[in-house]
Amino acid sequence: MMVSLSSAASIVRESGTVPQKLGVEDFLRPEGDYNAPNVDADADAIFGGPEARRILERKLLAKLDLRMSILIVIYILNYIDRSNVSVARLKGLEADLHLVGQQFPTLLSILYVGYVIMQVPSNMFMNWVGRPSIYLPTTMIVWGVISILTGPFVGALLTRFFLGFVEAAFFPGSLFLISKWYKRNEVGSRTALLFCGNIISNAFGSLIASGILDTTMGGKLGDAAWRWLFYIEGSLTVFVAICAFFILPDFPHNTSWLSDQEKKLAILRMREDASTSVPDTASQSSGLWLALSDWKVWWFAVAVTAHINALSFNLYFPTLTATMGFRTTVSLLLCAPPFIVAAIFAFLYSRASDRTGKRFIFVASSQMVGIIGFTIAMSTMNIAAQYVSLFLMAQSYGGLVVFYAWMSNSFYHPASKRAVSIALINAFSQLGNIAGSYLWPSKWGPSYRYSYGICVATSGLSIIMSWVFKDHLRSMNEGMENEEQERGQGAKGFRYLL
């Protein structure tokens, strides 16, 4: 998508005027189209000078941030709808559905089967259609309705499978949408804010659930309190989805509520950030092949999978707080503080990662804090120590947030490959959740030493694989620098973040 800078720059220098008025379509023409104006030439002049461009850019980002913030609300509801079965377990779901043996873990894990299957096709479809403002809210309405319909074991299995199938569109789709609007040094903090929706849902999902489960809703219309949990939370999801139709953006070139100048600037920002003259003309099928044939995608996917497996404690967090011996309401309330603190640390981690341009050190250090938490939990049943360990474990989410930002940075070009890579890595990594659903059997409780031991091992594996990945990217950066020196290129080109 890069257009040569030379000829239009000379027009501006010689005439002292801005080139002819450019339309949004001119900003989308590939390099080599000699009938296209050179939109990269003296780009500041196109927007009225450097100061005018900075003002317009600040307004654009403020508008985007405000509208994109609904993704946080959607992610909170996404995760609440996904995990409310764990909360309902404490209020009779197992007894009412007559679950025995491995049926409850199966009920948890079946969601991720559908989740894994659908992510890559979903992102490819969204990139092809180009209308995330319609696609994402539509899938949200469907998963809200499915959540409401959760019933007996066989029915619950089917609804959980299709819930995962439909929910698969949201998170990789949101990551891809963010990567289409924000530059690489802006992605980390926005990804952190998005993922804070996931972390906050672990905190406030339990608070909301305790409010519903401990009211007089039990027995209303002949339904148990845990069924009302699904009815209320699913209905709230549908309401927010309807609002999202009017709030979410599409892509920079076709978002209706942006002015032409804002569209041009949004497109130009991403072109400049790519720092490459290679035109982005890859088709959906070639993007799929580029992702599937890149060993780095698979290596990164396994590293994230190991990390997510270590985070499987969140699936059983209400069960873990219940081991401290408090009544159900108190156990649910105790779930909130560790994740509130984790959300704050995750955001600070990502901001620091963006500002320093470093990824690995933040991924590894966060996982090391989690390992300390797992080790404490393995070593004692002291209530205070157990609760402190839950805070330390929850901090591992900070590393996962940086992982996702690193993913968007590391498979950046072309956009079709980025769409598939994000979805493929996120889909593959859900194998960690599927395996994690079976890591916390009741017979290992209340200490769950074996479960924590597995979490320590998978965290260690993730750290090692991340270091290898970082070292490979470093060698690739050195190779690009050497090539630029040989060509006598003065301007620094694209570099991977380490």
Side-chain angles (χ1 to χ4, degrees):
M1 290 181 63
M2 290 295 292
V3 182
S4 172
L5 304 183
S6 56
S7 59
S10 63
I11 293 173
V12 174
R13 286 193 301 267
E14 292 170 10
S15 65
T17 62
V18 179
Q20 73 267 32
K21 187 174 181 180
L22 303 172
V24 173
E25 65 279 359
D26 296 317
F27 284 71
L28 296 170
R29 294 184 181 180
E31 184 175 22
D33 183 350
Y34 296 103
N35 295 316
N38 294 286
V39 300
D40 291 298
D42 199 358
D44 291 344
I46 295 172
F47 301 102
E51 185 59 28
R53 172 177 172 165
R54 280 193 291 270
I55 293 172
L56 181 62
E57 191 162 1
R58 282 198 297 268
K59 289 181 179 178
L60 172 64
L61 288 176
K63 187 182 292 187
L64 278 174
D65 288 342
L66 182 62
R67 286 179 173 266
M68 288 282 205
S69 62
I70 196 174
L71 292 175
I72 302 172
V73 179
I74 296 174
Y75 202 10
I76 290 173
L77 295 172
N78 174 280
Y79 205 78
I80 285 176
D81 287 339
R82 190 190 314 176
S83 61
N84 52 17
V85 67
S86 297
V87 178
R89 184 189 194 191
L90 299 181
K91 275 292 185 177
L93 178 139
E94 273 189 301
D96 289 352
L97 298 186
H98 310 291
L99 303 183
V100 294
Q102 295 298 310
Q103 287 185 330
F104 181 76
T106 301
L107 200 60
L108 286 178
S109 64
I110 194 68
L111 178 141
Y112 296 102
V113 176
Y115 199 72
V116 167
I117 292 172
M118 192 58 186
Q119 288 196 42
V120 172
S122 175
N123 251 25
M124 292 179 68
F125 180 75
M126 191 178 83
N127 188 41
W128 177 68
V129 171
R131 297 301 302 273
S133 68
I134 296 175
Y135 179 62
L136 293 179
T138 300
T139 61
M140 188 180 176
I141 289 175
V142 175
W143 92 55
V145 172
I146 290 174
S147 180
I148 293 170
L149 298 177
T150 301
F153 177 63
V154 175
L157 275 180
L158 291 174
T159 54
R160 291 279 294 174
F161 172 79
F162 286 109
L163 182 64
F165 197 81
V166 179
E167 282 194 355
F170 175 70
F171 187 59
S174 297
L175 290 178
F176 182 59
L177 181 60
I178 288 172
S179 75
K180 291 286 282 186
W181 284 98
Y182 294 100
K183 296 191 290 187
R184 284 176 295 151
N185 65 343
E186 300 167 344
V187 163
S189 57
R190 270 71 179 191
T191 302
L193 286 171
L194 171 65
F195 203 81
C196 279
N198 176 300
I199 302 172
I200 290 170
S201 70
N202 283 285
F204 292 100
S206 297
L207 293 178
I208 295 169
S210 66
I212 296 172
L213 295 174
D214 285 344
T215 61
T216 57
M217 295 304 294
K220 292 287 185 181
L221 301 180
D223 287 328
W226 66 264
R227 290 190 184 276
W228 281 103
L229 179 68
F230 289 95
Y231 296 158
I232 293 172
E233 292 180 347
S235 300
L236 182 59
T237 296
V238 173
F239 170 75
V240 173
I242 294 171
C243 297
F245 279 114
F246 305 99
I247 298 174
L248 279 175
D250 289 313
F251 294 142
H253 68 280
N254 66 342
T255 296
S256 60
W257 41 261
L258 289 181
S259 67
D260 278 353
Q261 282 290 85
E262 288 171 330
K263 289 180 183 178
K264 295 170 189 175
L265 179 57
I267 295 167
L268 188 63
R269 274 167 36 87
M270 302 312 296
R271 174 183 297 171
E272 291 171 344
D273 190 52
S275 299
T276 176
S277 60
V278 180
D280 191 354
T281 57
S283 65
Q284 301 302 311
S285 57
S286 62
L288 175 63
W289 172 247
L290 287 170
L292 292 175
S293 59
D294 186 349
W295 69 268
K296 297 192 298 300
V297 172
W298 296 102
W299 184 273
F300 197 88
V302 175
V304 177
T305 302
H307 192 172
I308 287 180
N309 186 259
L311 293 173
S312 61
F313 64 84
N314 79 312
L315 298 172
Y316 290 85
F317 213 76
T319 300
L320 298 179
T321 56
T323 63
M324 291 185 280
F326 301 103
R327 62 190 179 90
T328 301
T329 302
V330 175
S331 295
L332 290 174
L333 293 175
L334 288 173
C335 293
F339 286 109
I340 292 173
V341 174
I344 295 171
F345 270 89
F347 180 71
L348 294 176
Y349 256 63
S350 297
R351 285 296 297 271
S353 177
D354 274 354
R355 290 187 176 184
T356 60
K358 303 293 182 183
R359 299 299 191 211
F360 167 74
I361 188 64
F362 292 96
V363 169
S365 60
S366 175
Q367 292 193 77
M368 287 302 299
V369 173
I371 288 174
I372 294 171
F374 297 136
T375 305
I376 293 173
M378 291 169 62
S379 305
T380 179
M381 288 299 294
N382 177 272
I383 292 177
Q386 283 279 307
Y387 198 49
V388 168
S389 73
L390 294 179
F391 277 86
L392 297 176
M393 289 181 226
Q395 304 318 303
S396 299
Y397 272 99
L400 185 61
V401 172
V402 178
F403 246 141
Y404 284 128
W406 202 8
M407 172 174 62
S408 297
N409 299 151
S410 300
F411 308 102
Y412 195 72
H413 190 83
S416 56
K417 178 185 177 181
R418 190 192 331 151
V420 174
S421 298
I422 289 172
L424 178 61
I425 292 169
N426 198 55
F428 188 92
S429 67
Q430 297 313 306
L431 296 176
N433 272 323
I434 294 175
S437 300
Y438 297 91
L439 287 187
W440 306 85
S442 299
K443 64 182 179 181
W444 285 0
S447 66
Y448 292 101
R449 288 189 178 90
Y450 296 122
S451 307
Y452 290 126
I454 294 171
C455 291
V456 170
T458 53
S459 290
L461 175 63
S462 180
I463 292 172
I464 293 170
M465 294 190 71
S466 299
W467 180 84
V468 173
F469 184 76
K470 181 215 57 163
D471 199 56
H472 180 71
L473 295 186
R474 179 188 56 76
S475 66
M476 292 180 70
N477 283 346
E478 291 174 354
M480 287 185 281
E481 186 173 353
N482 291 336
E483 289 179 4
E484 289 170 0
Q485 290 175 353
E486 290 174 1
R487 293 197 302 266
Q489 179 178 325
K492 184 178 180 179
F494 176 86
R495 294 291 187 274
Y496 291 103
L497 299 182
L498 308 179

